[in-house]
Amino acid sequence: MSSSLKRLASVERGESVVIEVVGAAGAHGLRLRELGFARGRKVRVLETHDPMLCVVDQARVGLARELAEGILVQ
Amino acid sequence: MSAVLVDAASNIRRIAVAGNPNSGKTTLFNALTGLRQKVANYPGVTVEKREGTLRGYGDVTLLDLPGAYSLSVQSPDERIPRDVLLGRMADTPRPDGVTIVVDASNLGRNLYFATQIIELGLPSLIALNMTDRAASGGTPVDAAALARGLGVPVVSTVGHQTRGVDELARAIAAMDRARPPQRHWRLPPAVEGVVQRMADSLADQGVAPRDACDGLALLLLTDHRGAASQDGEDVWPAAVEGLRASAITELSRLGIDDVSELIVDARYTVINDLVDRVAPRGVAAGRAAALSDRIDRIVTHRIGGWIVFVAIMVAMFLAIFLWAEPLMGAIETGQGWLQGVVRAALPEGALRDLLADGLIGGVGSVVVFLPQICLLFLFIALLEQSGYMARGAFLMHKLMTRVGLHGKSFIPLLSSFACAIPGIMSTRMIENRRDRFTTILISPLMSCSARLPVYLTIIAVVFGGNVWLQTAVICSMYLLGVVAALLIARLLKRTLLKGPPPTFIMELPPYQLPQAGAVLRTMWERSSQFLTGAGTTIVAICIVLWALAYFPRDADGARLAAAQHSAAMAEASMEDADTLAVRLAEIENERIGRQLRQSYLGRIGHAIEPAVEPLGFDWKIGVGVLASFAAREVFVGTMGMLFSVGESQDDGGQLRSRMRADVWSDGPRIGRPIYTVPTGVAIMVFYVLCCQCASTIAVVRRETQSWRWPAFMFAYMTVLAYAGALLVYQAGTRLSG
Ligand SMILES: Nc1nc2c(ncn2[C@@H]2O[C@H](COP(=O)(O)OP(=O)(O)OP(=O)(O)O)[C@@H](O)[C@H]2O)c(=O)[nH]1
């Protein structure tokens, strides 16, 4: 728990992080969580442009940066 | 046992098949049912409803549910799995059980959906598919441990190799109706109490069967939007909203504001524990996943990705046009031969002409596109099954948001280059209604394969034989359609279908070598859908057109021609056989021309000439354009008929030289050629922009469930086409002096 929280959108290419907070409200938040962007899950970032490309668990998910701004990770 | 036989019909068990997209559900369903499938639509939404008998067990019917990630409802089609499983779908009785296809190589996310389904209380069975990929990825799944953890039977399968399919069929047939499964995890006790009370009330009010109410209560608390009524139709009895609201109030008194998040997180926590137990991560990193990573590093790269994308598109369209040509030639030859046979076999008269020209000619004008359409569907199936299609949407997203659309709209637009009908049908995967309708409304602007013969004929007439010039002109016509579509989309998203640009969330499936059988099957299903759907309309139109051109018969003309014929025969000397033949052909053409001018079609043509004259069109082009409003495929055939190019349809060369030689017979331009460059380009621009396809209108009506949208589409495209052609012609004639 030494490192502090940062936004998923600012994670470097190739880096792996753990999700802490999924901030997007409403339908987007629900969809993100159901696709596996839920607290405690590991995410690896493959591409950092918009949309981003992430690996959650074993699934590859394309994700708008705007949504990644609302996801806090460490 | 005789009691069973008496009432065999009610003894059929219906088992639903559910699963995540790309879990291999379709593959397993096909393997379980063979080819004996019934395809229909769910009422109200146009999602395919597939049913089939379980192979080897005549008393079990399988029902394929659309793929989904969860039971939450964010677009109209997404309510199908939920409502079928709850028995709330019209025309679809609640199934007796459910088989859940789970992708073993992506266990966590698949179990999210699986547990939601299990909690709806139907006897359940897990088909643990893709076990090969999970094993090679270094995380094999312990099926027995999974079965213990979930409390339902689990059968391991490898769908595309049909491994485990017999065991799966046996397990489905042996499903235990008496023991509905139970939720195997708990929320914090205070929350649990609220959920239980809500479940009891739901059951008391008869909203759903009692076994389903625990799962339903969780679902209603998770999914705010799905709980509300949608698109004006009441999905739930009014009492449901009241129960949900009071549960939410109770929970907020306990200090819980976001019960949705609480439930999803709790569910995932339980699933993560389960996954750690049944599929502990091996040390070997997955080779397949690593390969997908490497491919994606290029294919989704911001520069490399575009190079790959453009290369694929160019290769695909080149292949479609080059490979289809010999086949199309063969079909035309076959059609000519068949017309010859019919002409030889039947006595002269209306029936013979109807069969040979109306029917065979009409059917032929559709069948001739089949090679191109099959090839396009083949490539689309390859792109889909290899996993590339989703990458295309991913890459295109940024560009598409500029006009307010989602990257996913790229897929229907691409299909529309073959035919707008399958394109429009594939817009169903776009969740947002406004984005979906915008995509539907612009799809017909993509130059479909039916426009190509029009372009080819006109280009050959007005631009001569320079291949480079011809190619450049065709490409600009395709481009014009795309640019117009994007501009219209932008306009629509700012006015009628106003809404923010959609946000991108989309799974990109792992790369996979496509299976030949599956690819061919998809290609064939879609092509035959096109053939039967579009084909019947076009045949009907061809017959009507033929009749309009054939009646009323011109008796005077026929008599005159017969007299001229005898006179020419009498005058002719023996040495002059060639001159005689030319003279006789002239007489015949004159007769056909006269017949046509005074036919209903000719009268209509002359009536509309003033309207099309500013576009540089004469009455014949006017008739061709008018006839094309039913289906643009008929343009070339109609021109052939109007220029009375003899017997068979495949002498395009003759049609082209006659069109080139055609001159204005009256008006200010009398004696000057009709088919100038401005007129030719105006015709093509008109065809690019106009919605000349009754089948497309019918599909838009079906997909939007209203006449308003197809009417709007037809109106805006017609105006656009007329204005575009007018501009091109008027500017073109001014510039060329
Ligand atoms: N490696 C592997 N591939 C499989 C297996 N089962 C199916 N596939 C392949 O996975 C891909 C997706 O299969 P589909 O049957 O189309 O999946 P689906 O769940 O119906 O997907 P949607 O049509 O998108 O809902 C196809 O290319 C199949 O050949 C399996 O057990 N192992």
Side-chain angles (χ1 to χ4, degrees), chain B residues 51-62:
Chain B
E51 281 182 305
T53 305
L54 181 60
R55 226 200 287 213
Y57 301 88
D59 59 341
V60 180
T61 301
L62 295 185

Side-chain angles (χ1 to χ4, degrees), chain B residues 523-571:
Chain B
M523 178 191 95
W524 177 244
E525 270 175 12
R526 293 182 189 169
S527 307
S528 53
Q529 242 178 19
F530 163 83
L531 199 61
T532 46
T536 40
T537 339
I538 292 167
V539 168
I541 295 156
C542 287
I543 292 175
V544 170
L545 264 184
W546 170 87
L548 286 177
Y550 199 80
F551 298 106
R553 300 304 290 160
D554 177 17
D556 289 348
R559 233 172 287 125
L560 182 68
Q564 286 173 334
H565 191 104
S566 341
M569 292 289 268
E571 277 169 26

Side-chain angles (χ1 to χ4, degrees), chain B residues 8-27:
Chain B
S10 69
N11 229 37
I12 298 270
R13 277 181 303 153
R14 297 165 40 85
I15 307 291
V17 182
N20 275 194
N22 292 301
S23 57
K25 187 168 60 66
T26 309
T27 312

Side-chain angles (χ1 to χ4, degrees), chain B residues 477-502:
Chain B
M477 290 305 138
Y478 276 85
L479 207 61
L480 173 67
V482 173
V483 170
L486 295 181
L487 291 177
I488 298 286
R490 193 187 167 110
L491 202 67
L492 285 174
K493 282 291 304 234
R494 288 181 177 193
T495 52
L496 281 183
L497 293 162
K498 202 176 176 99

Side-chain angles (χ1 to χ4, degrees), chain B residues 20-27 129-130 132 158-160 512 515:
Chain B
N20 275 194
N22 292 301
S23 57
K25 187 168 60 66
T26 309
T27 312
N129 196 35
M130 308 258 185
D132 57 329
V158 180
H160 65 309
Q512 174 107 18
Q515 304 289 121

Side-chain angles (χ1 to χ4, degrees), chain B residues 149-198:
Chain B
L150 294 173
V152 301
V154 174
V155 180
S156 298
T157 58
V158 180
H160 65 309
Q161 295 166 1
T162 63
R163 259 198 277 152
V165 169
D166 291 341
E167 290 86 333
L168 180 60
R170 218 172 302 134
I172 292 175
M175 258 163 95
D176 189 353
R177 279 204 252 189
R179 287 204 348 251
Q182 296 269 315
R183 176 148 59 99
H184 60 280
W185 55 282
R186 289 282 163 252
L187 290 156
V191 181
E192 196 63 54
V194 177
V195 173
Q196 286 318 317
R197 276 196 295 284
M198 180 172 171

Side-chain angles (χ1 to χ4, degrees), chain B residues 1-150:
Chain B
M1 288 289 12
S2 60
V4 176
L5 288 175
V6 174
D7 197 9
S10 69
N11 229 37
I12 298 270
R13 277 181 303 153
R14 297 165 40 85
I15 307 291
V17 182
N20 275 194
N22 292 301
S23 57
K25 187 168 60 66
T26 309
T27 312
L28 279 180
F29 186 81
N30 289 342
L32 286 169
T33 59
L35 292 168
R36 291 155 301 151
Q37 298 179 2
K38 225 174 50 202
V39 182
N41 274 337
Y42 287 101
V45 280
T46 43
V47 170
E48 234 168 48
K49 175 180 179 181
R50 245 171 227 276
E51 281 182 305
T53 305
L54 181 60
R55 226 200 287 213
Y57 301 88
D59 59 341
V60 180
T61 301
L62 295 185
L63 168 66
D64 191 17
L65 296 178
Y69 292 112
S70 79
L71 287 174
S72 307
V73 177
Q74 297 186 5
S75 73
D77 340 327
E78 284 179 352
R79 75 185 181 90
I80 294 172
R82 183 193 71 185
D83 287 358
V84 169
L85 293 172
L86 286 170
R88 301 178 47 83
M89 195 79 193
D91 298 350
T92 310
R94 189 173 195 225
D96 301 299
V98 53
T99 298
I100 309 161
V101 181
V102 164
D103 175 355
S105 70
N106 190 354
L107 199 55
R109 226 239 352 260
N110 276 257
L111 286 180
Y112 183 91
F113 189 39
T115 52
Q116 279 193 319
I117 295 177
I118 290 171
E119 288 156 21
L120 290 182
L122 283 174
S124 305
L125 170 70
I126 302 269
L128 186 65
N129 196 35
M130 308 258 185
T131 44
D132 57 329
R133 201 188 275 165
S136 75
T139 46
V141 180
D142 179 348
L146 183 62
R148 276 196 304 278
L150 294 173

Side-chain angles (χ1 to χ4, degrees), chain B residues 134-447:
Chain B
S136 75
T139 46
V141 180
D142 179 348
L146 183 62
R148 276 196 304 278
L150 294 173
V152 301
V154 174
V155 180
S156 298
T157 58
V158 180
H160 65 309
Q161 295 166 1
T162 63
R163 259 198 277 152
V165 169
D166 291 341
E167 290 86 333
L168 180 60
R170 218 172 302 134
I172 292 175
M175 258 163 95
D176 189 353
R177 279 204 252 189
R179 287 204 348 251
Q182 296 269 315
R183 176 148 59 99
H184 60 280
W185 55 282
R186 289 282 163 252
L187 290 156
V191 181
E192 196 63 54
V194 177
V195 173
Q196 286 318 317
R197 276 196 295 284
M198 180 172 171
D200 288 342
S201 310
L202 286 168
D204 293 342
Q205 310 222 3
V207 175
R210 191 164 286 272
D211 288 335
C213 284
D214 176 52
L216 178 58
L218 284 181
L219 206 57
L220 290 170
L221 292 173
T222 308
D223 180 18
H224 308 280
R225 288 219 307 177
S229 62
Q230 289 205 340
D231 288 342
E233 92 190 87
D234 254 331
V235 179
W236 299 105
V240 169
E241 185 48 37
L243 287 176
R244 201 179 72 89
S246 65
I248 300 252
T249 328
E250 247 183 283
L251 287 166
S252 69
R253 243 180 268 132
L254 295 171
I256 294 160
D257 325 309
D258 196 340
V259 62
S260 170
E261 182 173 6
L262 179 92
I263 296 173
V264 177
D265 282 352
R267 188 186 292 282
Y268 259 122
T269 307
V270 185
I271 289 172
N272 286 345
D273 288 348
L274 182 61
V275 171
D276 285 343
R277 259 182 293 139
V278 303
R281 263 209 170 280
V283 273
R287 255 195 318 152
L291 182 64
S292 273
D293 278 3
R294 267 212 303 276
I295 301 176
D296 265 338
R297 218 159 285 155
I298 303 166
V299 165
T300 60
H301 188 267
R302 75 188 78 192
I303 299 160
W306 282 104
I307 298 175
V308 173
F309 178 82
V310 171
I312 290 180
M313 291 302 126
V314 169
M316 184 170 116
F317 281 100
L318 273 182
I320 287 169
F321 292 133
L322 294 180
W323 294 351
E325 212 155 301
L327 284 168
M328 294 171 81
I331 291 173
E332 282 175 342
T333 315
Q335 181 197 337
W337 171 83
L338 199 62
Q339 284 174 320
V341 170
V342 169
R343 282 215 182 80
L346 291 177
E348 200 168 316
L351 177 67
R352 189 184 82 169
D353 294 348
L354 171 65
L355 277 182
D357 299 332
L359 207 60
I360 300 177
V363 176
S365 70
V366 185
V367 175
V368 90
F369 296 115
L370 206 56
Q372 277 191 353
I373 296 209
C374 283
L375 277 172
L376 200 113
F377 285 142
L378 174 75
F379 284 114
I380 287 178
L382 282 174
L383 291 181
E384 271 173 1
Q385 294 191 16
S386 63
Y388 186 79
M389 206 55 127
R391 270 78 184 176
F394 176 83
L395 270 179
M396 292 295 281
H397 183 73
K398 197 78 210 197
L399 198 70
M400 298 298 259
T401 47
R402 296 250 175 102
V403 298
L405 287 180
H406 192 283
K408 280 182 190 171
S409 296
F410 150 75
I411 298 167
L413 294 179
L414 180 66
S415 306
S416 297
F417 279 114
C419 175
I421 295 164
I424 288 168
M425 292 193 304
S426 66
T427 59
R428 288 170 200 162
M429 62 179 174
I430 300 170
E431 290 98 20
N432 182 295
R433 180 180 152 276
R434 290 187 216 100
D435 295 342
R436 176 161 178 232
F437 280 18
T438 306
T439 311
I440 289 176
L441 293 173
I442 63 170
S443 288
L445 284 167
M446 301 293 124
S447 278

